[in-house]
Amino acid sequence: MTFEKILVTGAGGQIGSELVPYLSEVFGDKRVIPSDVRSDNNDERFIRLDVTERDSVDLAMEKYKVDTIFHLAAILSANGEKNPELAYRVNINGLYNVFESAVKNKVGLVMTPSSIGVFGPDTPKENVPIETITRPVTMYGITKLVAEFLGNYYHSRFGLNARGVRFPGLISYKTPPGGGTTDYSIEMIREAVKGRGYECFLREDSKLPMMYMPDALHSLLRLAEADDSKLKHRTDFNIASFSITPKELENELRSYYPSFRVTYKPDFRQKIADSWPGSLDSSAAVKEWNFHPDYDLRKTVEDMIVNLGGVGKRDKDNILEAQNK
Ligand code: NAD
Ligand code: SER
């Protein structure tokens, strides 16, 4: 049985804060249990849960009769390089606890997002397939690669229905990102909307794959609901909507804010970005569970600007049109 009681770990983060309302809308409020190690959450369904504490994970699973888990608790790439020990503990020990408890409690589905972090400097740069050279050089990437293997192991050894996508950089406006390398994209859009300049921590030509949050949420649900017999892969689906460099994003933002300027001062995150590919081959996700993103760069930026309270292009065009009449 699945989707009767859905536990979301790391629910206060960039994805969780949007996934919880999305799942609640689809399955009903009573079926979703948001949890996080941070307790700054006003949702009356919220429970505090540290995934590194095995007993607490077991207790939550038993008490709420959880049948589905969206396991989002993690430490992202840049924060992981600042604190590798914490990244290991949360991303590996936390995942291990969730998998063990899921087997013990006969949980029907565990969704564990992976990342472009699994790739490394030896990975080809463009249109990268799922099966390729994966030698990550960050603690984050190493933990994400282990997580993919662990998910496959728990499936073949214990029959656990573990599934996951390798998310690219996710762009969203509701909750600030949690310390990743692709965070520059969100910061740049926010600063442009505020009418300020932006100092970018990546080089202007650092091309990375990206996706807008609505596409990320739909993809998670689509994979969660996919027919098991159609899946040849489980925990490592490449998915991406578009690829951009910081300069291309700057130029797109200039079409709304002509005086917007970005200065480029690469820091330690450049090395992380340099180890990741510029584009992904998502064909397995398309074939096995009909992945199809709706947002390209233009639509993403337009929607971000409108939702951050800036004037979107369509509005601007309408104003200009009205003035010219
Ligand atoms: P985030 O950093 O915004 O949120 C992670 C949440 O986990 C935070 O709310 C944090 O408080 C919580 N957390 C940390 N330690 C915990 C613990 N011990 N117990 C319980 N909760 C804990 O991250 P996100 O962007 O929402 O990412 C969610 C998942 O998606 C992660 O697995 C991440 O690797 C993956 N992912 C995200 C992106 C992205 O661009 N956001 C890209 C690729 C993959
Ligand atoms: N957006 C994430 C990061 O930069 C990719 O996993 O860490």
Side-chain angles (χ1 to χ4, degrees):
M1 201 163 56
T2 47
F3 307 118
E4 292 294 324
K5 278 288 173 193
I6 307 166
L7 177 70
V8 181
T9 70
Q14 188 193 357
I15 301 179
S17 60
E18 301 209 34
L19 183 67
V20 166
Y22 178 71
L23 293 175
S24 305
E25 176 100 29
V26 175
F27 297 107
D29 286 347
K30 291 201 173 109
R31 296 204 192 166
V32 184
I33 307 149
S35 73
D36 204 291
V37 72
R38 280 168 25 193
S39 35
D40 55 339
N41 196 310
N42 295 327
D43 194 318
E44 56 187 22
R45 300 165 296 178
F46 177 80
I47 58 167
R48 189 187 171 279
L49 178 62
D50 181 342
V51 294
T52 65
E53 294 171 1
R54 175 62 198 276
D55 290 349
S56 312
V57 176
D58 277 342
L59 214 67
M61 280 325 182
E62 284 156 24
K63 180 170 176 193
Y64 294 98
K65 300 192 176 14
V66 170
D67 61 38
T68 305
I69 305 169
F70 284 80
H71 177 51
L72 307 180
I75 305 298
L76 273 73
S77 62
N79 281 353
E81 288 313 284
K82 287 185 196 155
N83 194 342
E85 189 271 334
L86 178 67
Y88 188 93
R89 197 149 36 89
V90 176
N91 298 4
I92 298 288
N93 298 356
L95 177 78
Y96 176 78
N97 290 340
V98 166
F99 279 163
E100 279 292 309
S101 195
V103 171
K104 186 174 153 196
N105 289 285
K106 299 187 173 47
V107 167
L109 172 67
V110 183
M111 297 295 293
T112 56
S114 188
S115 159
I116 51 168
V118 299
F119 300 115
D122 302 327
T123 306
K125 284 289 170 204
E126 298 300 336
N127 203 26
V128 172
I130 294 178
E131 285 87 10
T132 184
I133 300 168
T134 42
R135 288 194 194 132
V137 289
T138 60
M139 179 55 93
Y140 176 66
I142 291 164
T143 62
K144 285 285 151 185
L145 192 57
V146 171
E148 290 181 0
F149 285 128
L150 269 182
N152 290 336
Y153 176 79
Y154 271 78
H155 175 251
S156 61
R157 178 80 199 265
F158 304 111
L160 183 69
N161 189 3
R163 299 180 182 187
V165 290
R166 288 174 181 160
F167 275 134
L170 298 183
I171 300 178
S172 67
Y173 58 88
K174 284 195 180 142
T175 301
T181 304
T182 54
D183 296 7
Y184 87 82
S185 53
I186 300 172
E187 292 172 8
M188 194 189 287
I189 299 171
R190 282 184 172 273
E191 292 308 291
V193 169
K194 284 181 192 150
R196 302 203 288 237
Y198 177 62
E199 186 177 290
C200 184
F201 57 77
L202 294 186
R203 270 194 330 266
E204 63 178 39
D205 63 347
S206 295
K207 184 176 162 192
L208 291 169
M210 298 280 182
M211 178 178 280
Y212 196 36
M213 188 59 84
D215 282 331
L217 302 179
H218 294 150
S219 302
L220 273 182
L221 186 59
R222 194 163 284 194
L223 175 58
E225 292 185 319
D227 181 346
D228 210 69
S229 67
K230 302 250 162 64
L231 299 185
K232 290 201 174 66
H233 300 83
R234 301 205 67 85
T235 55
D236 52 12
F237 284 101
N238 283 353
I239 55 167
S241 307
F242 53 91
S243 291
I244 47 161
T245 64
K247 190 70 189 173
E248 283 164 347
L249 181 57
E250 177 189 352
N251 289 340
E252 182 64 23
L253 286 162
R254 279 230 196 105
S255 68
Y256 300 86
Y257 305 102
S259 60
F260 179 60
R261 290 288 178 277
V262 177
T263 51
Y264 293 91
K265 277 209 179 149
D267 66 14
F268 72 99
R269 289 167 279 194
Q270 184 63 55
K271 197 173 159 207
I272 304 177
D274 285 343
S275 75
W276 292 350
S279 62
L280 305 181
D281 170 4
S282 311
S283 56
V286 173
K287 204 166 152 191
E288 294 176 41
W289 48 275
N290 196 21
F291 162 69
H292 73 88
D294 288 326
Y295 287 82
D296 58 11
L297 172 64
R298 183 143 293 187
K299 271 179 82 177
T300 298
V301 169
E302 171 77 23
D303 203 61
M304 284 286 287
I305 290 177
V306 169
N307 281 293
L308 288 168
V311 175
K313 196 174 205 160
R314 272 166 291 186
D315 296 337
K316 207 170 73 180
D317 288 348
N318 289 342
I319 293 165
L320 288 175
E321 210 177 294
Q323 281 170 349
N324 289 337
K325 269 186 189 162

